[in-house]
Amino acid sequence: MTSYTAPVADLRFVLNEVVGLDRVAALPGCDSAAPDLVDAVLEEAGKFASGVLAPLNRVGDKEGSKLENGVVRTPTGWKEAYNQFVEAGWNSLPFDPDHGGQGLPWTVAFAVNEMWQSANLSFGLCPLLTQGAVDLLTEHGSEEQKRVYLTRLISGEWTGTMNLTEPQAGSDLAAVRTKAVRADDGTYRISGQKIFITYGEHDLAENIVHMVLARLPDAPPGIKGISLFIVPKFLPDAEGNPGRRNDLRCASIEHKMGIMASPTCVMAFGDDGACTGYLVGAENRGIECMFTMMNNARLGVGIQGVAVAERAYQQARNFARDRVQSKDLADPKGDPVAIIRHPDVRRMLLDMRAKTEAMRALALYAGTQLDTGRRHPDEAARAAAAARADLLTPIVKAWSTDLGCEVASTGVQVHGGMGFIEETGAAQHYRDARITPIYEGTNGIHANDLAFRKVGRDGGAAAAAFVAEMRATVAELESLPGDDIEAVRTNLAQGLDALEQATAWMIATQKQGDARTAAAGAAGYLRLWGTVAGGWMMALSAAKAMQGLRTPGADHRFLEAKLVTARFYAEQILATAPGLLVPILTAGRTVMALAEDQF
Amino acid sequence: MTSYTAPVADLRFVLNEVVGLDRVAALPGCDSAAPDLVDAVLEEAGKFASGVLAPLNRVGDKEGSKLENGVVRTPTGWKEAYNQFVEAGWNSLPFDPDHGGQGLPWTVAFAVNEMWQSANLSFGLCPLLTQGAVDLLTEHGSEEQKRVYLTRLISGEWTGTMNLTEPQAGSDLAAVRTKAVRADDGTYRISGQKIFITYGEHDLAENIVHMVLARLPDAPPGIKGISLFIVPKFLPDAEGNPGRRNDLRCASIEHKMGIMASPTCVMAFGDDGACTGYLVGAENRGIECMFTMMNNARLGVGIQGVAVAERAYQQARNFARDRVQSKDLADPKGDPVAIIRHPDVRRMLLDMRAKTEAMRALALYAGTQLDTGRRHPDEAARAAAAARADLLTPIVKAWSTDLGCEVASTGVQVHGGMGFIEETGAAQHYRDARITPIYEGTNGIHANDLAFRKVGRDGGAAAAAFVAEMRATVAELESLPGDDIEAVRTNLAQGLDALEQATAWMIATQKQGDARTAAAGAAGYLRLWGTVAGGWMMALSAAKAMQGLRTPGADHRFLEAKLVTARFYAEQILATAPGLLVPILTAGRTVMALAEDQF
């Protein structure tokens, strides 16, 4: 079994030094995010993640969740862990105190969420989706819906799901066919089948609140004819307690490559014509409501990418410290040494670590923009931050999950032959991670979202503002000494040049109406964004580390490691950014050139 | 279940047009490699691979091989398939006709091996290791050993294994502890435990010939005190038939992430003090003998990288042709279309295809150099080709297996959610592929082999000769028209510039005695070699395609696809080669900078 130690010091450094938690704590309603309280939250969450959730990760992988007679049984110990999770109040961290939440900013919640997902990705999915349902009802639910559902979802007493996908409707939600018919009592009768429903059925909570996309008989075709419904497993009685069983069931669960303990359900609604649903928002406006939930979940999945990378890094580092094999290149007459002494093993570990730190900082930075976009007293500041958060969402989702898979793969490699043996645990991270670039919108969908909606639609305004802020950091780095900083600064400047060129090309290509060419370059363009924005985060980290290293009493060994890792990122990862430009700009020339039968 | 169609036309194109099978067929003893015979071999092998082996791939993954009472049972249908394989003579293709082989060049055998590995990686491992044992005994066995073992290994009647690894001796064979004691009859008593022994025990063949590294009591310490032994499961009787059961057993098999049907065994030798081994070559010279087997197996594993990529590509392409989802970007009012119409899906497919074609060509080119190095009548020509093959071995092994994993991962992504469901089959390729960068020497070991032994040791002579030959192709491309060729040419020229710079740096760094810095850059250096040498192959392919496109009667649609794929490779993959330079040259600055407890 593999252990996990929550990286509290790293998270604290990023929150306090890199992304500016103090500015978030100064926002209206965020005063609970004072440094000492946040410290305490991180410490306690770290203990819960490493002590309770992490040991269940391998159990979950081995046992999996099982469907028996319509009931999904989670693995040994999971129900007890979930109860503890709810009782400790972990589910309610970032939510409205009026409905039982603790009112902490999302920035802090993201840091804590990383720990849950590192400790146990399959477990963490359940609150991840519940959080999405909470966000959705907070924004779009009626007062009655908030009273009945929101409080119980916030506490975690009940859990939430997203019921979007159908066999013919995956990326393309316009193809949704599940039906909703108006009933006389103001409710709706839902019928149809949904697939890939995470935690669609389980034994962790007393009720499950499905958020279901369905189509009214008289709805317009396509995406503008879809409505959103609350479809609870048990219909709440007058007191709001779980009452009559609703007409819905889990028809089967999928046999997957990873996240074995997270039940991926086929859900059947209304087999007996008696499935009750409650409309959320207005009829035919379901997609807009669902996007609130999806945006939240997208950042949450991006954090899963960070999280699995951190877990894989810890596991590989621990193995590399213990495993003795071959002599030190610098001491060919000596005894065999731990493999962490070998340059290529170190290179792999630093690659894992640098990517993880860059991803983490970018995700937490997105959290600050989310909080600022919602709470800043100044409207223009809110709008700017919201636009930044919107721009960052596909980047955090797709770049972090692509890198999460890469890091997990490197983690297997560090283990050599042992990495391929399931008992070691490295393989589980590799298998688990692979779903993250797929769910909550494939990374290809996010690349298009970035290229067309987040950059193209406003003519590059949000992108330009972001680039300008990153340029300012390049200028600031000039005042700091040393060749580490210099390496970071020059590579960031070159990366920004490439990003500006690619952005100008992307906008011009769309203006020319050549959507296919733009789309062909979109994945590379997203990769470039992540690489450079992550490099900016590492540059801020390096600057703070360098400042700290000139301060007596600071933890110099910790800061030294931050500086070296930032330089590694700059020279090994950010340095490849200019090389991404040609692939982006030229993809359209070949990608559409062949007929389908020439593939 | 997923189907596989052997890419016979692609293989034929590479053999005849790109790597010059005609030159191989002109070598002494290779006259059987006439085009029509090779065509027939490819056709028949393709039928066997797709008809017999491919359908067993998923069966093997689901059932796995099982150890029961000391006997390993392979999955349903495997024994029958192996019998057919042997009866059809497939095992004997590239071996000496004097011992029952068919005397075909390795170039052709590599093409056929790709099919076995694409069809069924777990199955293909068994003959892959047997081939290694054949090569070893051909070179180092006594006449008696050749008579008894070689003929049966060539036919495939018996299978071979490599028994190198022990718990404390993985990459570092100097740490081998298995003991060999001289017996009065000229044989040896072997005792000890080996781990990770592929097909160490199974029910496919009547005997298993273990090639075991062990240490004599009076052997010098380290790598120069290891001897190599034939340790058969059944000791051959006077007629050479399997006789008395030897004192060895499979103690357990590993629970792995992939290649489930390939039994990975813990082997116990001499539990009862009666395990008989026969020395191969001289005492204490076992490593040299074993390297013959390992070099063969390394190229074989590189071909597994190609093979799993081809299989994953076929699977993803077939899915993308069938799966209808979302509208065409160029026809937003139309109906949803097959996802192969979407630019990002095409980009993924072309990425898979371009990498596969480049890897395939490079592996087959390595085959031509192997054949030429062994058979060319001119000693200087033999030496040059052998040096080229030596240089290519770590590149083909490591670059192809890294890319194999990347391509298999992209294959999962093309499938969206279905890719994560085991029934689809894409996940199996992703899991199976992951062992290939690890076994037969981790890719990190190969990076060092390339940097130090293959490039550093001769001061870059073999590397320079190779680069000069690739430069000649750049010059030749100038005479061909069109912007496809121009894109290929300019990117190849830039890639070669980067490769020359990196090589000069690598040699200078080693000359300065800075082995750690050289080793820190070695993995990137190997990647650069693969990227550029693969680009050279694609350039040759593009040139032949362009020439063919000007020839009436040629298959223009096929050649057009080759040209477009070569351009895609040049602009999407080869174009990133210059960007690899900074990471190679700078890795040493950060990789060794941290103390172990700073990780």
Side-chain angles (χ1 to χ4, degrees), chain A residues 58 166-173 175 196 254-259 264 313 317 321 323-330 336 338 340-344 346-347 349-350 353 402 405 409-410 412-413 416-423 427-428 430-435 437-438 442-445 447-448 452 491 515-517 519-520 522-524 556-558 560-561 564-565 567-568 571-573 575-576 579-580 582-584 586-587 589-599, chain B residues 58 166-173 175 196 254-259 264 313 317 321 323-330 336 338 340-344 346-347 349-350 353 402 405 409-410 412-413 416-423 427-428 430-435 437-438 442-445 447-448 452 491 515-517 519-520 522-524 556-558 560-561 564-565 567-568 571-573 575-576 579-580 582-584 586-587 589-599:
Chain A
R58 174 112 178 94
E166 300 175 12
Q168 80 294 345
S171 298
D172 183 11
L173 290 174
F196 295 161
E254 304 291 352
H255 175 216
K256 307 189 298 295
M257 173 160 61
I259 55 166
T264 303
Y313 169 69
R317 177 199 60 198
R321 280 181 180 151
R323 170 72 174 165
V324 172
Q325 193 75 178
S326 302
K327 293 170 182 178
D328 193 326
L329 273 175
I340 198 169
R341 298 271 280 275
H342 300 318
D344 190 58
R346 285 176 160 255
R347 181 194 60 74
L349 290 175
L350 270 172
R353 177 194 173 104
D402 279 345
C405 289
S409 180
T410 305
V412 171
Q413 190 69 18
M418 292 304 295
F420 203 63
I421 307 297
E422 286 290 357
E423 281 76 3
Q428 185 188 346
Y430 178 74
R431 290 185 287 101
D432 283 354
R434 195 61 193 76
I435 187 59
I438 294 173
T442 65
N443 285 359
I445 295 286
N448 278 348
F452 291 99
N491 280 297
R516 284 173 156 182
T517 295
H556 282 204
R557 290 177 64 75
F558 178 85
E560 214 174 76
V564 168
T565 307
R567 180 174 185 168
F568 181 94
E571 291 178 332
Q572 298 296 308
I573 299 160
T576 66
L580 297 175
V582 169
I584 295 166
T586 60
R589 294 180 197 162
T590 43
V591 158
M592 301 311 298
L594 296 181
E596 282 146 49
D597 64 354
Q598 286 178 300
F599 276 85
Chain B
R58 173 111 178 97
E166 300 175 11
Q168 79 294 344
S171 296
D172 183 12
L173 290 174
F196 295 160
E254 305 291 352
H255 175 216
K256 308 188 298 295
M257 170 159 62
I259 54 164
T264 303
Y313 168 70
R317 178 199 60 199
R321 280 182 180 150
R323 171 72 174 165
V324 172
Q325 194 74 180
S326 300
K327 292 169 183 180
D328 193 326
L329 274 174
I340 199 170
R341 299 272 281 274
H342 300 319
D344 191 58
R346 286 178 160 253
R347 182 194 59 76
L349 290 175
L350 270 172
R353 177 193 174 107
D402 280 346
C405 288
S409 180
T410 305
V412 171
Q413 190 69 20
M418 291 304 295
F420 203 62
I421 307 297
E422 286 290 356
E423 280 77 3
Q428 184 187 348
Y430 178 74
R431 290 185 288 98
D432 283 354
R434 193 62 194 77
I435 187 58
I438 294 172
T442 66
N443 285 359
I445 296 285
N448 279 347
F452 292 98
N491 281 297
R516 284 174 156 182
T517 295
H556 283 202
R557 290 177 63 76
F558 177 85
E560 213 174 76
V564 168
T565 306
R567 181 175 184 166
F568 181 94
E571 292 178 333
Q572 299 295 308
I573 300 160
T576 66
L580 297 174
V582 169
I584 295 167
T586 61
R589 295 179 196 162
T590 43
V591 158
M592 301 311 297
L594 296 180
E596 282 146 48
D597 65 354
Q598 286 178 300
F599 276 87

Side-chain angles (χ1 to χ4, degrees), chain B residues 82-307:
Chain B
Y82 187 76
N83 286 346
Q84 282 181 263
F85 183 82
V86 170
E87 278 163 27
W90 289 121
N91 204 67
S92 63
L93 227 52
F95 301 121
D96 187 352
D98 288 350
H99 296 99
Q102 299 184 48
L104 276 166
W106 277 103
T107 309
V108 176
F110 281 8
V112 172
N113 286 353
E114 185 202 304
M115 299 187 201
W116 310 148
Q117 306 296 347
S118 277
N120 196 325
L121 206 68
S122 284
F123 183 95
L125 269 169
C126 188
L128 190 160
L129 288 167
T130 303
Q131 284 192 353
V134 167
D135 241 32
L136 192 162
L137 288 180
T138 303
E139 195 136 338
H140 303 285
S142 66
E143 281 312 308
E144 168 72 5
Q145 287 168 346
K146 287 183 186 174
R147 190 184 56 76
V148 175
Y149 296 98
L150 194 55
T151 49
R152 290 172 176 89
L153 287 167
I154 284 177
S155 71
E157 230 176 319
W158 297 359
T159 68
T161 76
M162 292 172 73
N163 275 255
L164 287 70
T165 305
E166 300 175 11
Q168 79 294 344
S171 296
D172 183 12
L173 290 174
V176 158
R177 286 184 200 147
T178 294
K179 284 182 195 158
V181 177
R182 295 178 195 92
D184 297 338
D185 60 357
T187 68
Y188 295 76
R189 295 293 160 268
I190 310 295
S191 59
Q193 196 188 65
K194 295 283 181 180
I195 62 169
F196 295 160
I197 307 308
T198 300
Y199 280 95
E201 172 58 33
H202 61 81
D203 58 3
L204 299 179
E206 62 176 21
N207 204 2
I208 301 171
V209 183
H210 301 285
M211 299 292 176
V212 180
L213 290 184
R215 197 179 285 283
L216 288 162
D218 52 2
I223 203 82
K224 289 177 179 168
I226 295 172
S227 306
L228 176 68
F229 300 89
I230 296 173
V231 186
K233 179 177 171 186
F234 293 99
L235 300 174
D237 63 17
E239 284 76 45
N241 294 317
R244 182 170 66 79
R245 181 72 153 87
N246 207 354
D247 175 19
L248 61 90
R249 66 189 176 88
C250 170
S252 63
I253 63 174
E254 305 291 352
H255 175 216
K256 308 188 298 295
M257 170 159 62
I259 54 164
M260 303 295 195
S262 165
T264 303
C265 303
V266 174
M267 297 300 298
F269 294 94
D271 281 358
D272 301 325
C275 179
T276 300
Y278 307 97
L279 183 70
V280 180
E283 287 183 352
N284 300 328
R285 304 292 289 270
I287 288 293
E288 293 154 51
C289 298
M290 194 54 102
F291 261 103
T292 304
M293 187 167 187
M294 282 163 64
N295 274 328
N296 186 305
R298 284 168 172 187
L299 289 169
V301 170
I303 289 166
Q304 287 192 319
V306 182

